[in-house]
Amino acid sequence: MPINLNHEAQVEWDKYLEASSIEEQIAHLERFVGVVVKHKGVENHLRMAKQKLKRLKATQEKMRQAKKGSGERWLVPKGEDAQIAIIGTVNAGKSSILNSLSRSDSAAKVGAYPFTTVKPEVGSTSARGARLQLVELPAIVEGSVRGEMSGKLVLAGIRNSDCVILAIDLTHNPVEQLKLILKELSVGKIRLNTEKPSVKIEKVGSGNIQVFNSHHYEGKGNDEITEIMRTKGYMNVIVRFHGPTTVDQFFDALDYTISYLPAIIFATKGDVKGSKLNYSTLMEYISTNKLPLEIIPVSSSNNEGFDSIEETIFNKLNKIRVFTRNNVGDISERPIILDKGSTIENAIEVLSKKMLRFFRFARVWGKSAKFDGEKIGLDRILEDGDVIQVFA
Ligand SMILES: Nc1nc2c(ncn2[C@@H]2O[C@H](COP(=O)(O)OP(=O)(O)O)[C@@H](O)[C@H]2O)c(=O)[nH]1
Ligand SMILES: [Mg+2]
């Protein structure tokens, strides 16, 4: 053990040697690399530490993959442009929604008794060419987050999706169902229709905790920010606020395990007597509590409320559909699916990387075009429904 380490680095090194788990070893090695004062005498030591760190991280990743393979066996792999999870309490009408939305014949069986769905049921539909995979997950119950009724897998299934349909049964206690689901999801670190906090955190080698734009922070200022970061174990980081941030949002920003997902409530069984009253009770609860949730009333029995619902779902995804046109003017049936704000360069990357190398110009029709067939370069931002033709 070299004796020319600075005190802080020595402490971290000792803790690394005593650590009992791979996570702890990684944490202390990372801190060691961050705090060590560099000079010729420690060069070899530092190199060795970095190599160990690399190996430990590789091992950790392997363990993580192995766990995924065994623990979450029934996660439905994403096979389409987007995956939509249908969730709700027992008998809420999830399978019926899946059936009403699905275009395939292999739709789910609907049972008139609880606990029908013990593993996901899968269907599919499309929204102007974009393929939506529908996954009905087993019911959410009190204690899902602790693992009741395969709850851990249900939550993993939700996190794996791109959008959530929340089935709420209008024939009894809709507010209780919503509260239960939101509680389980909140403890399970899933946030619905919530923007990610406007905070960027960047780990750096040294320099303690540096805060920028703290006027956006709605708590008690710089000292509080630094204090919170310290108690969470952060040492050398740059914290940058990009917009208004409450204390709760700041805590969320420090937690990388939180999932943010778009969601829509489907209020089911609207044909049943008494459902209208329950519907207004639910609406009132949502508006009084300013919940960022919209409700679509549906009836699977009467097939009501499902008109152009695929468009509504697609619009929640923050994605755009871009169609391609060939040299004889035919337009593709299937669009390329891109994140909102994508450019024509992003579209071509999906089509063919080779094409990008030989790109000369493109033409565009649709919302982003100033006129039909406008000639554009790589940086044009595309809009949903645009048609492009690429010349290479
Ligand atoms: N009247 C009526 N009954 C419905 C409707 N949707 C579902 N149900 C009934 O509610 C029960 C549970 O439906 P299901 O879709 O299996 O719920 P899941 O357990 O959430 O999948 C079944 O008896 C369905 O026939 C609806 O729109 N109207
Ligand atoms: Mg079901």
Side-chain angles (χ1 to χ4, degrees):
M1 190 67 223
I3 44 163
N4 47 11
L5 285 174
N6 52 309
H7 177 68
E8 255 185 307
Q10 183 71 59
V11 169
E12 292 302 335
W13 185 257
D14 290 344
K15 282 187 182 162
Y16 154 70
L17 291 175
E18 285 161 18
S20 53
S21 72
I22 206 167
E23 280 78 13
E24 278 178 64
Q25 286 179 323
I26 289 176
H28 291 302
L29 271 185
E30 265 178 335
R31 283 191 208 142
F32 170 84
V33 172
V35 297
V36 71
V37 176
K38 288 172 198 139
H39 56 86
K40 262 213 136 30
V42 300
E43 258 172 26
N44 281 336
H45 194 92
L46 184 59
R47 195 172 317 121
M48 173 185 68
K50 283 183 178 166
Q51 275 165 3
K52 275 185 197 298
L53 191 54
K54 207 169 151 191
R55 267 201 302 275
L56 283 170
K57 280 186 171 169
T59 311
Q60 191 186 35
E61 184 54 30
K62 261 195 212 132
M63 282 162 67
R64 214 178 268 152
Q65 293 298 338
K67 220 171 167 183
K68 239 192 217 163
S70 63
E72 298 174 354
R73 209 165 271 151
W74 56 237
L75 266 191
V76 180
K78 288 191 190 181
E80 311 281 347
D81 294 324
Q83 189 177 88
I84 318 298
I86 304 172
I87 67 165
T89 54
V90 172
N91 265 337
K94 301 180 293 298
S95 297
S96 306
I97 290 174
L98 180 66
N99 284 338
S100 301
L101 286 174
S102 284
R103 301 222 175 133
S104 65
D105 303 323
S106 60
K109 287 181 218 75
V110 180
Y113 48 90
F115 312 123
T116 318
T117 307
V118 290
K119 59 180 180 48
E121 299 283 353
V122 183
S124 69
T125 186
S126 67
R128 266 191 73 201
R131 297 198 189 164
L132 308 178
Q133 184 179 36
L134 308 160
V135 179
E136 178 198 353
L137 293 170
I140 294 197
V141 295
E142 178 90 50
S144 282
V145 74
R146 295 191 308 270
E148 290 291 322
M149 295 283 296
S150 309
K152 299 250 190 233
L153 289 171
V154 175
L155 292 172
I158 298 173
R159 286 192 205 101
N160 192 46
S161 74
D162 301 296
C163 180
V164 178
I165 290 176
L166 218 79
I168 302 281
D169 182 349
L170 283 182
T171 63
H172 66 276
N173 290 333
V175 172
E176 293 312 310
Q177 292 166 58
L178 182 63
K179 276 191 192 163
L180 168 78
I181 291 167
L182 292 183
K183 189 186 86 192
E184 296 294 329
L185 294 193
S186 153
V187 181
K189 297 193 180 183
I190 295 168
R191 308 273 185 270
L192 301 182
N193 290 345
T194 308
E195 291 275 328
K196 270 189 190 170
S198 335
V199 188
K200 283 240 157 63
I201 293 157
E202 192 190 330
K203 287 197 181 161
V204 285
S206 59
N208 284 324
I209 296 167
Q210 302 169 61
V211 186
F212 292 90
N213 296 334
S214 61
H215 62 274
H216 284 309
Y217 179 64
E218 291 169 9
K220 283 201 193 104
N222 260 341
D223 289 350
E224 190 175 270
I225 296 168
T226 317
E227 182 60 32
I228 293 173
M229 303 275 315
R230 285 234 175 79
T231 57
K232 290 274 171 190
Y234 287 86
M235 296 185 72
N236 297 314
V237 283
I238 295 175
V239 188
R240 229 181 276 275
F241 291 87
H242 294 278
T245 308
T246 64
V247 180
D248 283 349
Q249 284 168 332
F250 184 53
F251 273 98
D252 276 4
L254 298 178
D255 189 343
Y256 292 104
T257 62
I258 295 177
S259 300
Y260 299 85
L261 289 169
I264 316 173
I265 294 181
F266 277 30
T268 64
K269 312 188 190 180
D271 57 289
V272 177
K273 219 170 155 228
S275 65
K276 298 267 178 313
L277 182 62
N278 278 336
Y279 177 61
S280 28
T281 314
L282 181 63
M283 291 271 278
E284 201 179 304
Y285 177 78
I286 284 174
S287 74
T288 334
N289 291 283
K290 298 200 174 69
L291 299 179
L293 289 164
E294 66 189 280
I295 317 179
I296 299 177
V298 297
S299 160
S300 294
S301 303
N302 296 352
N303 202 21
E304 274 166 3
F306 291 99
D307 290 344
S308 64
I309 199 90
E310 293 84 4
E311 274 304 294
T312 312
I313 296 170
F314 185 84
N315 287 333
K316 293 298 285 182
L317 293 171
N318 271 321
K319 298 198 184 275
I320 58 168
R321 289 160 289 201
V322 174
F323 299 83
T324 52
R325 185 182 151 123
N326 65 14
N327 47 13
V328 289
D330 295 334
I331 293 167
S332 64
E333 247 168 66
R334 274 201 82 177
I336 313 166
I337 308 298
L338 299 166
D339 289 337
K340 249 185 202 158
S342 293
T343 60
I344 188 137
E345 181 170 4
N346 303 134
I348 300 173
E349 267 170 1
V350 175
L351 287 170
S352 138
K353 288 235 196 297
K354 201 168 149 204
M355 199 190 270
L356 197 55
R357 256 193 290 147
F358 299 108
F359 176 83
R360 285 193 296 139
F361 66 93
R363 292 192 187 279
V364 64
W365 292 256
K367 277 185 238 156
S368 85
K370 293 196 186 87
F371 50 86
D372 275 356
E374 188 197 354
K375 201 170 159 178
I376 56 169
L378 283 177
D379 56 355
R380 172 64 59 89
I381 291 174
L382 298 170
E383 300 280 345
D384 184 40
D386 278 356
V387 176
I388 58 168
Q389 184 170 4
V390 182
F391 295 83

